[in-house]
Amino acid sequence: MTTTRLPKTITAGALLATPIPPVKWIIPGLLPAGLAIFAGPSKAGKSWLTLWLCLQISQGKSVWGREIEPRTVLYFSLEDTLGRLQERLYQLVDAEEDPERLILQTESHGIGQGLEEQIVSFIHAYPDISLIVIDTLQKVRKTDQSGSMYANDYRDIGALKELADRYGICILLVHHLRKQSSSDPYDQISGSTGIMGVADTTWLMHRQRMSKTATIRIIGRDIDEKMLHIREENCIWTLDEEETAEQLVTKAVPDYLWKVADYIGMVGKWQGTATELLVAANISYVKPNQFTRKMAHYARDVFSPRGIEYKYTRTEQKRLFEFFHDDDDGADDDIDISQLSG
């Protein structure tokens, strides 16, 4: 199995005239071919979910409402024994099913120590293979004190990405999260930014201990960011809700911005300070400087769709907002938010 290989250099005109195969999806809209990371907390159910996904793909069964083309799947379950895998399969596989296209392996070499050759051997033995899962990434990495963490991460993950790209398959690496929280959820992935930098697709799972529900945030080069809300029922994760990137942005907008937008929509034009605006809109639980920062961040998401524009100007005495509709006369359509530094 190989992909179409373009020359290393090509003119833009030649590239425009060259037919290139579309993105190959392992799970449509969620998991394309390439190098993918599936990160989550320890004991969050990643291995159960991963095994179920491997079964569904190998048997051509739907995954969260998406139709799947049956293909051979190789699952390196490196933290489990065959006995433990058998017990899990008893709970996931119906008596009449015979999942022969799922190949299980509990031992492997390390990256740069024979793993790549092991993977290539499997690909040649099973030409229709589409997905290789390595659970977990840390099990195939060697201790290397030389070089920076970023360089080591980039080298190791890059070696597996090169294989995925060469053979047009997906290699999915199950990985862990740090215990420390972060304002950017992707910063919680254990290791350096080199891991996510190489990955084509990242799945980020969050689940409270003992909870029956979890979320998976997905982002990638071929995917718009989305959030899956899933629920565990009899060891199988079902989909409750799927949120698009636009919906995620909308949820992130503070409610007081929507209230201000409603107020401006009602009065038409308005001018004054942030403090005066919050009083006029009957908002008492946010500070003016916080409001000003969030205005700069979310104005295009909240106000622009309603046809509301604004200026923010500073004088020696005041910092003034001026709101108006984009069809108003005059030069008000030119928005100056260059001074929105908080």
Side-chain angles (χ1 to χ4, degrees):
M1 179 191 305
T2 57
T3 57
T4 301
R5 298 185 69 82
L6 295 174
K8 292 183 178 180
T9 58
I10 188 171
T11 67
L15 181 58
L16 288 171
T18 301
I20 298 177
V23 174
K24 177 182 175 182
W25 292 99
I26 313 304
I27 304 175
L30 299 179
L31 186 64
L35 193 284
I37 300 291
F38 179 21
S42 177
K43 304 297 187 288
K46 299 187 298 298
S47 294
W48 275 98
L49 175 55
T50 301
L51 180 58
W52 177 76
L53 289 173
C54 290
L55 281 166
Q56 297 298 101
I57 294 167
S58 66
Q59 297 179 97
K61 293 186 175 183
S62 66
V63 174
W64 299 324
R66 293 162 164 85
E67 295 303 314
I68 302 296
E69 181 181 353
R71 291 290 184 88
T72 296
V73 175
L74 171 60
Y75 180 26
F76 285 98
S77 185
L78 303 178
E79 293 186 338
D80 293 311
T81 63
L82 289 176
R84 188 177 299 129
L85 285 172
Q86 184 185 61
E87 289 299 319
R88 290 178 181 175
L89 288 171
Y90 280 143
Q91 298 184 62
L92 297 175
V93 178
D94 293 334
E96 66 276 8
E97 294 178 345
D98 187 16
E100 284 295 312
R101 280 184 159 177
L102 174 56
I103 313 300
L104 303 172
Q105 175 67 270
T106 58
E107 297 180 356
S108 78
H109 301 294
I111 299 173
Q113 298 174 320
L115 175 62
E116 295 91 321
E117 292 78 9
Q118 193 176 4
I119 288 174
V120 170
S121 177
F122 272 108
I123 292 172
H124 289 160
Y126 302 95
D128 72 329
I129 196 167
S130 67
L131 173 65
I132 295 176
V133 176
I134 298 176
D135 184 2
T136 63
L137 169 61
Q138 200 58 37
K139 281 287 188 177
V140 296
R141 299 195 68 187
K142 62 180 183 294
T143 302
D144 188 352
Q145 301 298 329
S146 64
S148 67
M149 178 185 294
Y150 180 92
N152 293 334
D153 287 344
Y154 202 94
R155 178 200 60 215
D156 289 348
I157 310 304
L160 299 177
K161 173 175 166 54
E162 193 277 330
L163 285 178
D165 291 344
R166 185 198 311 171
Y167 292 100
I169 64 172
C170 175
I171 296 180
L172 176 65
L173 307 177
V174 180
H175 195 38
H176 298 298
L177 297 182
R178 297 189 185 96
K179 293 183 178 180
Q180 302 95 322
S181 61
S182 172
S183 57
D184 183 345
Y186 297 103
D187 285 343
Q188 292 181 269
I189 297 174
S190 181
S192 74
T193 55
I195 292 178
M196 189 173 172
V198 175
D200 298 297
T201 306
T202 300
W203 287 24
L204 199 64
M205 182 179 184
H206 283 285
R207 180 192 185 188
Q208 295 295 326
R209 186 74 66 183
M210 305 303 293
S211 173
K212 287 289 186 180
T213 61
T215 60
I216 298 179
R217 186 183 293 267
I218 300 176
I219 195 170
R221 295 187 173 102
D222 300 305
I223 306 174
D224 291 330
E225 186 171 12
K226 58 188 62 179
M227 177 85 80
L228 306 180
H229 297 266
I230 57 177
R231 178 180 301 275
E232 187 266 324
E233 297 175 1
N234 298 321
C235 304
I236 295 175
W237 289 96
T238 59
L239 180 66
D240 279 348
E241 182 186 5
E242 179 175 330
E243 293 180 287
T244 64
E246 292 77 12
Q247 290 171 318
L248 290 174
V249 170
T250 299
K251 284 183 66 174
V253 175
D255 68 302
Y256 52 80
L257 291 184
W258 298 113
K259 291 182 179 180
V260 168
D262 290 339
Y263 174 74
I264 299 300
M266 179 179 64
V267 300
K269 292 184 177 182
W270 192 91
Q271 183 175 0
T273 65
T275 300
E276 293 166 343
L277 177 57
L278 293 172
V279 170
N282 195 28
I283 299 170
S284 59
Y285 51 89
V286 62
K287 296 180 179 179
N289 63 331
Q290 289 179 301
F291 170 78
T292 301
R293 293 193 189 101
K294 295 299 182 181
M295 270 291 301
H297 190 84
Y298 291 111
R300 295 186 184 279
D301 302 303
V302 177
F303 295 89
S304 296
R306 302 188 183 199
I308 299 173
E309 306 292 355
Y310 79 99
K311 288 182 179 180
Y312 180 73
T313 56
R314 294 185 180 189
T315 67
E316 291 184 359
Q317 291 80 25
K318 293 183 178 181
R319 301 177 181 183
L320 296 175
F321 282 100
E322 181 182 357
F323 291 89
F324 48 87
H325 287 274
D326 57 10
D327 57 354
D328 289 341
D329 294 332
D332 288 344
D333 289 332
D334 297 326
I335 308 167
D336 178 13
I337 59 172
S338 61
Q339 300 183 67
L340 276 176
S341 58

